[in-house]
């Protein structure tokens, strides 16, 4: 597969380069030169395939020329070693896809784990180890770091602002250990980002330590997100079902992956792009004007994005035409009080605990179902984070304390192995050089 840049359709690169670079040199995002169709025999048997099986079939369409079947199977099986089940809301035609059963309880585990293993595959014949630098304000960093845990040939150095992440997130970031080093930076998230950026343009440092990023726009994080859409439709009865899907959206990687799945032949009647008040894309769908704004803080903070990076990919998928985007995607947005109300409503009606992001997606589904009473298919919304990650908001909305699942509970007993770091680049650099 070759990959082109959304900013220069004549700039192509190969898979290895696209995965190692992340961003194209012109700062565009990589897209596959063609979106391949999935084999009809696979599409017609979605319900018979396990998550790793269907993921392998999808991955093969994109990476089959770069990895042997056995290697790709290894990557897929290692990355997707947790379930992604469907749960029905009481006896209704509403369902959720629970994407939060991975090690950091968020759907970003899927992309991060796949990318880590793909990068490791491409690096295995290189003598030098690679260091992934990540600045994080909380969630993404822990998914990326966990994704790389024990992965051959790769070290991760993670920077987070000391005292400015939740105590749950701090535990997640600072107890991993092994090939993951967490630096508690005496500063802000912006300081962390600045220090990482400086490292990437520091030639003297780069001569001694090979660095790469694990950017969220990397194709190796984006494409695996299309796997679970196939798995979802399989669990809902197969590719003949009439299904609409509501996707809680911030940077729109998740929705982009769903649209790619549809282009590959997955039968999704319609997508709902559900956002909080950072409604840049719903506004675009309504007015035709794409106008980035400074992001506003909300309860669904992983979706507080004022300039969604994957908008360029959405436009590429629809040939830069808003009309065809509207045919496939509706945009809806919700305030924090609507989000809280939806959390209370679903707990009361369905005995189901939504996290604030899932609540935005559920609200989007309810809004569209409410407006189209003739719809007799199934409505699916994606639940991207475990409610225990947002326990305070969940308790405020429902009166219930969300339980942390057993498989992550032991992090509370593990030792904090993070290292204190100033917010000065020179200190960070001397640390990276082993001084
Ligand atoms: C990242 C994230 C989102 C937004 O996903 P995008 O792909 O950026 O649109 C939604 N919910 C949760 C819990 C997230 O972590």
């Amino acid at each position: 597969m070759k990959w082109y840049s959304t900013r220069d359709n004549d700039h192509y690169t190969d898979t290895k380069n696209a995965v190692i670079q992340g961003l194209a040199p012109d700062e565009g995002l990589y897209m596959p030169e063609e979106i391949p169709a999935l084999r009809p025999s696979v599409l017609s048997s979605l319900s018979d395939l396990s998550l790793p099986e269907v993921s392998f079939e999808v991955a093969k369409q994109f990476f089959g020329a770069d990895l042997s079947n056995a290697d790709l199977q290894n990557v897929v099986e290692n990355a997707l070693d947790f379930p992604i089940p469907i749960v029905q809301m009481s006896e209704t035609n509403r369902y959720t896809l629970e994407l939060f059963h991975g090690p950091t309880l968020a759907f970003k585990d899927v992309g991060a784990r796949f990318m880590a293993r793909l990068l490791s595959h491409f690096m295995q014949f290189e003598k030098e180890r690679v260091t992934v630098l990540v600045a994080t304000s909380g969630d993404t960093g822990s998914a990326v770091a966990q994704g790389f845990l024990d992965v051959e040939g790769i070290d991760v150095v993670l920077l987070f602002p000391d005292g400015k992440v939740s105590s749950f997130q701090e535990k997640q970031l600072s107890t991993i250990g092994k090939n993951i080093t967490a630096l508690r930076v005496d500063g802000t998230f912006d300081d962390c980002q600045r220090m990482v950026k400086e490292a990437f343009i520091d030639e003297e440092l780069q001569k001694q330590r090979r660095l790469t990023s694990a950017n969220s726009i990397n194709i190796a994080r984006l494409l695996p997100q299309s796997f679970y859409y196939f798995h979802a439709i399989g669990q809902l009865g197969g590719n003949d079902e009439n299904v609409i899907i509501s996707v809680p959206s911030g940077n729109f990687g998740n929705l982009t992956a769903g649209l790619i799945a549809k282009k590959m032949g997955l039968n999704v009647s319609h997508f709902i792009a559900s956002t909080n008040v950072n409604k840049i894309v719903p506004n675009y769908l309504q007015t035709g004007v794409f106008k980035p704004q400074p992001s506003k803080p909300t309860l669904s903070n992983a979706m507080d994005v004022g300039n969604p990076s994957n908008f360029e990919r959405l436009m590429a998928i629809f040939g830069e035409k808003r009309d065809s985007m509207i045919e496939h995607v509706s945009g809806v947005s919700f305030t924090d009080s609507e989000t809280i109300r939806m959390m209370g409503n679903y707990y009361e009606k369905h005995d189901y605990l939504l996290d604030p992001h899932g609540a935005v997606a559920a609200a989007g589904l309810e809004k569209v179902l409410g407006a189209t009473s003739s719809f007799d298919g199934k409505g699916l919304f994606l639940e991207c984070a475990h409610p225990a990650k947002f326990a305070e908001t969940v308790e405020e909305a429902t009166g219930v304390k969300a339980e942390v699942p057993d498989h992550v509970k032991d992090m509370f007993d593990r030792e904090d192995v993070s290292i204190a770091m100033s917010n000065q680049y020179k200190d960070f650099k001397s640390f990276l050089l082993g001084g």
Side-chain angles (χ1 to χ4, degrees), residues 81-106:
D81 62 350
F82 54 89
I84 302 184
I86 287 272
V87 176
Q88 187 175 14
M89 297 297 111
S90 317
E91 300 296 305
T92 67
N93 63 343
R94 284 123 164 110
Y95 299 79
T96 188
L97 183 68
E98 290 186 342
L99 289 157
F100 55 67
H101 296 284
T104 73
L105 307 181

Side-chain angles (χ1 to χ4, degrees), residues 378-389:
K378 293 174 178 170
L380 178 72
F381 66 93
L382 307 189
E383 244 302 1
C384 294
H386 193 285
K389 291 187 93 165

Side-chain angles (χ1 to χ4, degrees), residues 107-108 248-254 302-303 357 384-385:
F107 87 109
K108 290 189 176 71
S249 296
N251 262 321
F252 285 80
N254 210 352
M303 300 175 0
H357 307 77
C384 294

Side-chain angles (χ1 to χ4, degrees), residues 279-281 283-284 289-295 305-308 311:
K279 51 180 176 179
I280 313 301
V281 172
N283 280 349
Y284 167 77
V289 182
F290 180 71
K291 194 170 167 218
Q293 303 268 341
S295 69
V305 180
N307 187 5
F311 186 70

